[in-house]
Amino acid sequence: MQRTAPLAERPAPLFVVSDIDGTFLNSKERVSPRLRNVVANMKRQGTVFSLATGRPARWLLPVLEQLVVKPLCVCANGAVIYDSARDKIIRAVELQPAVLTDTVARLASDVTANQEEPALEGVTFGVERVGTSAFDRADELFCVTRSYDHAWLSEEHKEMSLEELVAQPAVKLLVRNPRVCSQELYEAVAPRLNSQHVNVTFSWDGGLVEISAPGVSKQSALQWIAEQMGVTGEDAVAFGDMPNDLEMLTWAGVGVAMGNAHDDVKNAADIITGDNDNDGVAEILETWFL
């Protein structure tokens, strides 16, 4: 850890938020008994808990069924807030068709073929649209171009032309190139886009960049939740492992990077804990909630 003494001196946080993959879940996609116990203790003590993820709401169900709480969840890297207790999307910030069309045009292979950028050669695209529930039909929300190379096994999606893909609003645009790592793809994508029009990040290493509306991040959604609670970032502890967690870690009073985190995340965090297979989240939270 980078610092340990101040934790014991701090009062118990009023708000705790954790990324899911590589952070809250272990490599078997399970919540450990130790962590589940800490979350239960937080609930008893009145601390509010949230999950913040790049996942859509429908991908939260296997996680939520392992918990004793039904939290407000930040989905799609902050573009969506999902109330799991009511199974209801309560807030969504979308990319509009004009922005989607312009973004794709700046990145599509036929436009960039002569720009000496191998990472963009042959990129394909997908979108996540927002519904009203975690039980909405996935093939109405997850849409991809016909040549899209799926990062995860998917049978619940709809294939369509690029023109159809960008014709409706979406909470997230996916840029996919499995031949490069996500860092390399990000470094090719981000300079071609205007940060006033979109926000670019990534949450997985295997050649996938995620694009949201400007100003959208996990922090922006958590700040909205905190305002409803009457607390601030200083009252929060946040856990993460990838660049899409950076804003929320620097916003929180204590930002914690996992031992398995991306180097940029470790450099930005206040504390580095154990990895996700060794209860790194529980290790910190037991300071207050043992």
Side-chain angles (χ1 to χ4, degrees):
M1 296 183 185
Q2 291 179 339
R3 62 173 195 180
T4 54
L7 279 184
E9 299 169 9
R10 292 180 65 97
L14 302 177
F15 189 21
V16 170
V17 58
S18 178
D19 170 56
I20 293 180
D21 297 289
T23 303
F24 197 73
L25 296 182
N26 61 27
S27 57
K28 296 181 179 179
E29 299 198 356
R30 301 301 297 172
V31 180
S32 74
R34 179 181 175 187
L35 181 52
R36 190 159 48 242
N37 184 60
V38 171
V39 172
N41 288 343
M42 283 197 299
K43 180 183 179 182
R44 283 191 285 270
Q45 293 188 37
T47 289
V48 174
F49 173 65
S50 285
L51 293 167
T53 179
R55 294 185 182 209
R58 65 182 179 277
W59 285 7
L60 294 179
L61 300 177
V63 183
L64 294 170
E65 68 184 8
Q66 301 180 59
L67 301 178
V68 298
V69 296
K70 298 296 182 187
L72 285 181
C73 300
V74 173
C75 305
N77 291 328
V80 173
I81 298 177
Y82 169 65
D83 184 341
S84 66
R86 296 188 293 158
D87 181 38
K88 184 177 181 180
I89 303 295
I90 61 173
R91 186 174 185 262
V93 183
E94 297 176 301
L95 289 159
Q96 296 305 312
V99 176
L100 289 168
T101 300
D102 177 69
T103 301
V104 165
R106 292 172 182 269
L107 302 177
S109 58
D110 59 341
V111 175
T112 59
N114 297 321
Q115 296 183 11
E116 298 182 359
E117 186 48 81
L120 290 176
E121 183 177 353
V123 293
T124 54
F125 301 92
V127 295
E128 278 285 352
R129 309 200 199 282
V130 65
T132 61
S133 160
F135 295 93
D136 289 334
R137 287 176 57 95
D139 60 3
E140 295 177 354
L141 303 179
F142 180 36
C143 305
V144 299
T145 54
R146 294 186 178 93
S147 56
Y148 187 83
D149 184 297
H150 289 274
W152 297 274
L153 181 64
S154 173
E155 297 180 353
E156 296 182 321
H157 60 272
K158 182 181 292 185
E159 294 185 353
M160 57 184 58
S161 69
L162 191 54
E163 292 73 21
E164 292 173 305
L165 194 77
V166 299
Q168 298 180 40
V171 290
K172 185 160 62 171
L173 173 67
L174 305 173
V175 184
R176 176 78 170 126
N177 185 351
R179 293 173 293 279
V180 298
C181 69
S182 296
Q183 181 75 49
E184 186 177 351
L185 186 58
Y186 171 85
E187 291 171 357
V189 167
R192 286 174 165 75
L193 303 179
N194 189 331
S195 61
Q196 295 182 342
H197 296 162
V198 296
N199 185 54
V200 185
T201 190
F202 63 95
S203 59
W204 178 68
D205 286 327
L208 184 69
V209 163
E210 302 158 60
I211 299 175
S212 305
V216 167
S217 67
K218 292 183 180 182
Q219 175 195 336
S220 68
L222 291 168
Q223 195 163 345
W224 185 89
I225 294 173
E227 288 171 358
Q228 315 310 305
M229 295 169 52
V231 301
T232 68
E234 185 58 29
D235 301 309
V237 174
F239 298 84
D241 72 315
M242 290 297 284
N244 64 330
D245 299 318
L246 283 168
E247 294 92 344
M248 78 170 181
L249 294 191
T250 55
W251 168 78
V254 179
V256 185
M258 304 302 292
N260 51 287
H262 188 283
D263 286 345
D264 289 350
V265 177
K266 289 181 177 179
N267 291 336
D270 299 306
I271 294 172
I272 300 174
T273 187
D275 65 37
N276 64 316
D277 281 327
N278 288 285
D279 279 314
V281 175
E283 178 184 337
I284 298 298
L285 292 180
E286 284 172 349
T287 303
W288 306 284
F289 305 110
L290 186 61

